[in-house]
Amino acid sequence: MNLPTWITVSRLAGVPFLLVLLAQPDDRLRWISLGIFLVAAGTDWLDGYLARRLDMVTDLGKFLDPLVDKLLVLAPLLMLIQLGQIPAWGVFLVLARELAIAGWRVNQPKISGANIWGKLKTVTQILAIALLIAPPTAFSPIAQVAFWVAIGLTLLSGALYLVPQPAAQESNA
């Protein structure tokens, strides 16, 4: 494994700490949870940047990166359901989209990276989760709006993955 792939895998290390801290009814621990989540989410940008910059893009990295992203997003969402901050059916939509796209990708001849809609979906999910992780009184109305915007972009990006793309036109010039 190369450096960007190690960074991708290391992102998972914060998830158990995040879940344990989120389960505690303490505002200070919620802020610490937010910090852990943002550092882990920031490594998503870092591993991709390094992979491209150092010419270390691999099929393993293209496979692991979205998988780790899904775990980093779904773990706190499940805890936020337990805390009563978001409805389970909203998270079910995220999970359904992720499973559908994962199944679709398995049948593709070549592993492809995320498109712009997938990246926008990830950024909005991270923003919404960050706002939801912060102590409830800090950003509650904004966090709820961000959550539903993230759900909408999650569904849109999933639909766009599944829509058949026209074959590239070959030029005779």
Side-chain angles (χ1 to χ4, degrees):
M1 274 197 296
N2 61 26
L3 176 62
T5 304
W6 275 109
I7 293 171
T8 297
V9 172
S10 75
R11 193 175 324 143
L12 285 177
V15 172
F17 296 104
L18 175 66
L19 295 177
V20 167
L21 293 173
L22 269 177
Q24 308 305 314
D26 180 290
D27 284 358
R28 185 177 66 82
L29 295 177
R30 293 290 290 252
W31 288 115
I32 293 169
S33 298
L34 176 61
I36 291 170
F37 178 75
L38 290 175
V39 167
T43 65
D44 185 30
W45 172 83
L46 179 63
D47 63 19
Y49 173 79
L50 289 175
R52 289 183 298 278
R53 179 83 173 165
L54 302 175
D55 195 28
M56 293 183 165
V57 175
T58 64
D59 281 346
L60 177 61
K62 287 192 275 187
F63 171 77
L64 284 178
D65 186 64
L67 178 64
V68 171
D69 287 348
K70 287 165 189 36
L71 293 172
L72 182 63
V73 165
L74 288 169
L77 287 176
L78 292 172
M79 182 58 73
L80 291 164
I81 292 170
Q82 181 177 340
L83 295 171
Q85 288 185 247
I86 55 175
W89 67 269
V91 177
F92 173 79
L93 293 174
V94 173
L95 180 59
R97 182 264 190 212
E98 299 304 345
L99 290 174
I101 297 308
W104 174 82
R105 282 184 171 195
V106 167
N107 293 316
Q108 299 306 302
K110 184 175 185 246
I111 297 173
S112 62
N115 65 23
I116 188 67
W117 289 102
K119 291 179 182 193
L120 183 60
K121 176 231 15 149
T122 299
V123 169
T124 58
Q125 286 176 343
I126 288 169
L127 174 65
I129 293 166
L131 292 169
L132 288 162
I133 288 174
T137 57
F139 305 103
S140 292
I142 297 168
Q144 290 298 313
V145 170
F147 175 72
W148 292 111
V149 168
I151 296 297
L153 282 170
T154 297
L155 296 175
L156 175 64
S157 69
L160 292 174
Y161 263 108
L162 300 176
V163 171
Q165 301 297 315
Q169 298 288 331
E170 292 190 50
S171 170
N172 292 333

